[in-house]
Amino acid sequence: MGVGLPCLILRDTHGSFDTVLRMVSRQEDSPMKTDFLLAIKQLHSDKNLDDEVIFNAVERGMAAAVKRRYELPGNVIVTIDRYDGGMEVWSEQEVVEIEEDIADPDLQIELERARTTDPSVHIGSTLRIKHDIENVGGRIEAQTAKQVVLQALREAEREAVFANYSGEEGGIVSGDVQRVEPHQVIVELGDHTETVMPAQEQVRMERYRTGQRVKAIMVEVLRANKGPQIVISRSRPEFVRRLFELEVPEIMRGVVEIRGVAREAGHRTKIAVYSRQSGVDPVGSCIGMRAMRIQNIVNELHGERIDVIHWDPDPRRFVEHALSPAQILAVRIDPETNTAECAVPDMQLSLAIGREGQNARLAARLTGYRIDIKPQTVAERLQQEDRGPFAPQPELTIATEPPPEPQPVRAEPRVEPQVAASPPPPVEIAPVPTPAPAPEPEVVEEEPELEPALQAVEIAPAAQDDGQIRFAEDVLRREQEQQQQRDRRRRRPRYHESDEGLEDDPYAEYLEYEEDF
């Protein structure tokens, strides 16, 4: 049987049908077999499918074309040699006892008729007949086979995609935006696999455009009528967790552990970290030298603010850290209502709550407590009634964490002392007594007396580093200092009153910042 039709099918699959039409009528086997095997290799490289899958698809398409052309009875099977491209055509029918037992005349045959072809068959066996076919057909048969091959390759491609990405949920994928639709964004991965980012998995503050390179987390892989559907997301808290694992080597090695993430996509994220090894600062490891590590993550999230806080087994200290950068005076945990009552200075009440309650809301998600923030004056008034954050604290059961693992210390190589062959005998020298030195008089430095104005000033104790975040706090302090400097500046009036009315003062712009000098 010639191989012109398989070459036609495969070439037509690639779109170059006109070039192969002239080769169908040829009967030389060697050039066509070589071309057929080359087409198989081309499909293997283009669609990233196994050779056996492509051969099976072509065999199914050839069987459909042969059955349509010659109207062969039974189930037509085409086998293709994997080395030289030779083909064989077989038909199979089930053998039944009498004609009344035939349910499908195309697939079944009675025993007497079957024994005229093969005397060794019996009831229930399969009659297998080989057919010598030199020419399968022309354009119509090629189109029939082509549809079958394309459908088979499509199904194989879908199964390959599902097998590659099934079980990879939670991983980071990168791709290019192929098209932006009203309710979803189609992202194409590197292996020509399309993924879907629904509207609820997108960040509202971000705008996507065609050709843009995006990074997202794989949420799930679903089986659909049109093939496997891969859903990705950029708005879930797990996306920030995976970015930290990729950017911070200590998290990837397990030295630093992420204990919780609370996120409002596009606005702010709070992440709690804990060190499992002594001597390793978890917050500093995530921020990096000159904030390079966390800056890379912020750039990937398009400017989203990230607060890295220290996780603590004591829920009171953990709530205190979670409400950073606000200063917390006292925290009282009520286990029955799962509430954390916090007292803050009156001037920092809005800072602790945050814009539209964002800081308190993220802290509540991170800690798992319902946070009730009260100003200091209200908390002191409630203390008189044994209520509020300053009231006596009930006993709490704090989960004991395993002690941090000590850092491995590399043992220095031991140097053996060199022993001389025959050391000389030691010479004994009588010690000469030396007089003891006279004790020097102690000099007591008198503290300088402070002026009366300075004596009334109470020196504040040095701030203690209790593991709270410093990244967002420094930024906030810098903004407050700049605002205070702007408020202290006294602007001269740009206009002065004269007999003719208000006139422009040409020196007001130069004298605007005279206090700074």
Side-chain angles (χ1 to χ4, degrees), residues 147 200 462 491:
Q147 296 299 326
Q200 62 270 19
R491 306 178 67 90

Side-chain angles (χ1 to χ4, degrees), residues 170 238-253 258 297:
E238 290 80 6
F239 180 52
V240 181
R241 181 190 293 267
R242 293 293 178 266
L243 290 179
F244 270 93
E245 291 178 357
L246 293 178
E247 192 67 31
V248 183
E250 289 81 0
I251 297 179
M252 183 64 68
R253 294 198 304 264
I258 299 177
I297 300 177

